[in-house]
Amino acid sequence: EIVMTQSPATLSVSPGERATLSCRASQSVSSNLAWYQQKPGQAPRLLIYGASTRATGIPARFSGSGSGTEFTLTISSLQSEDFAVYYCQQYNNWPLTFGQGTKVEIK
Amino acid sequence: QVQLQESGPGLVKPSETLSLTCAVSGYSISSGYYWGWIRQPPGKGLEWIGSIYHSGSTYYNPSLKSRVTISVDTSKNQFSLKLSSVTAADTAVYYCARHGTALHRYYFDYWGQGTLVTVSS
């Protein structure tokens, strides 16, 4: 099983600032990496797939990068609606696995 | 617009079987995609349980495989989850979701709203 490790666990950021979230895989997943956003009481929402492709309707302030074992989600200028928990997911191997999440909170 | 809706008992007794159904609208299950189940214990992260294709082909998480059965009913455009011998550790919000059929498309693009299942006597 591929273990996904996200850091930091919590990120405190002021509105308008840049947020950088990391995700590391225990072995290469190529570019088969997705990012999701989850707000309290809601289902996760797909943000990024293929490590860097934004899903339909996702604002350009969200960007993803990386390949192999190291990945980054960047939110260029945090808006109030972006404060949430973010998960990465690898889909290079079965079983599909998620990271433990990074909570982005208001500083 | 693709929509998924979970349904089933919100309370299950220990050692019994958890049963949930996911009704799909706006897309025919028979047209393709894999249909999966993911769960999230309160305050914790996401765990993939398993996925099924309309043909009945399945993939299960090895950590749960001995207790999980996922089935599909194309005539009703829905798929189901059964998890046997449940314990308190199975208490979670259960989501159904859709993912692609090719390796580079196994990400979840549509999700149900989730349903909380509590295991308690």
Side-chain angles (χ1 to χ4, degrees):
Chain A
E1 172 177 319
I2 296 177
V3 177
M4 307 301 293
T5 303
Q6 292 186 241
S7 62
T10 303
L11 187 61
S12 298
V13 185
S14 299
E17 289 188 342
R18 182 187 198 91
T20 302
L21 290 67
S22 295
C23 176
R24 174 177 293 179
S26 60
Q27 65 187 74
S28 177
V29 298
S30 186
S31 294
N32 295 315
L33 189 285
W35 290 94
Y36 301 86
Q37 176 193 68
Q38 187 179 36
K39 297 179 181 179
Q42 297 185 14
R45 176 175 71 145
L46 177 67
L47 297 176
I48 301 283
Y49 62 90
S52 61
T53 302
R54 280 189 302 276
T56 303
I58 302 304
R61 64 180 180 273
F62 291 92
S63 63
S65 64
S67 66
T69 62
E70 300 283 343
F71 300 89
T72 300
L73 174 69
T74 301
I75 311 171
S76 60
S77 177
L78 272 159
Q79 307 298 303
S80 58
E81 61 267 31
D82 300 335
F83 293 96
V85 179
Y86 293 83
Y87 294 94
C88 60
Q89 177 227 335
Q90 69 80 21
Y91 51 94
N92 196 65
N93 291 74
W94 302 101
L96 308 178
T97 51
F98 294 86
Q100 80 280 17
T102 290
K103 181 180 181 180
V104 177
E105 65 176 24
I106 300 175
K107 186 174 182 180
Chain B
Q1 176 76 344
V2 181
Q3 293 185 313
L4 296 87
Q5 179 66 59
E6 305 89 350
S7 62
L11 181 64
V12 181
K13 289 182 168 56
S15 81
E16 295 190 344
T17 296
L18 178 160
S19 296
L20 296 174
T21 295
C22 181
V24 179
S25 58
Y27 189 86
S28 171
I29 283 181
S30 298
S31 295
Y33 286 90
Y34 270 94
W35 305 88
W37 290 96
I38 301 103
R39 69 179 183 178
Q40 184 172 38
K44 297 188 178 181
L46 300 162
E47 179 182 34
W48 171 71
I49 299 170
S51 300
I52 191 165
Y53 192 60
H54 66 79
S55 64
S57 173
T58 54
Y59 287 97
Y60 295 136
N61 192 323
S63 67
L64 297 167
K65 187 175 182 177
S66 64
R67 298 193 292 131
V68 171
T69 302
I70 297 176
S71 58
V72 64
D73 186 338
T74 55
S75 66
K76 294 182 178 179
N77 214 39
Q78 64 186 35
F79 60 106
S80 300
L81 168 71
K82 291 188 184 298
L83 180 65
S84 64
S85 305
V86 298
T87 70
D90 295 309
T91 293
V93 174
Y94 286 76
Y95 296 101
C96 57
R98 182 184 87 165
H99 67 82
T101 56
L103 173 61
H104 64 286
R105 299 186 71 85
Y106 288 168
Y107 50 85
F108 297 95
D109 58 355
Y110 286 96
W111 295 67
Q113 65 184 27
T115 187
L116 174 63
V117 179
T118 301
V119 178
S120 175
S121 56

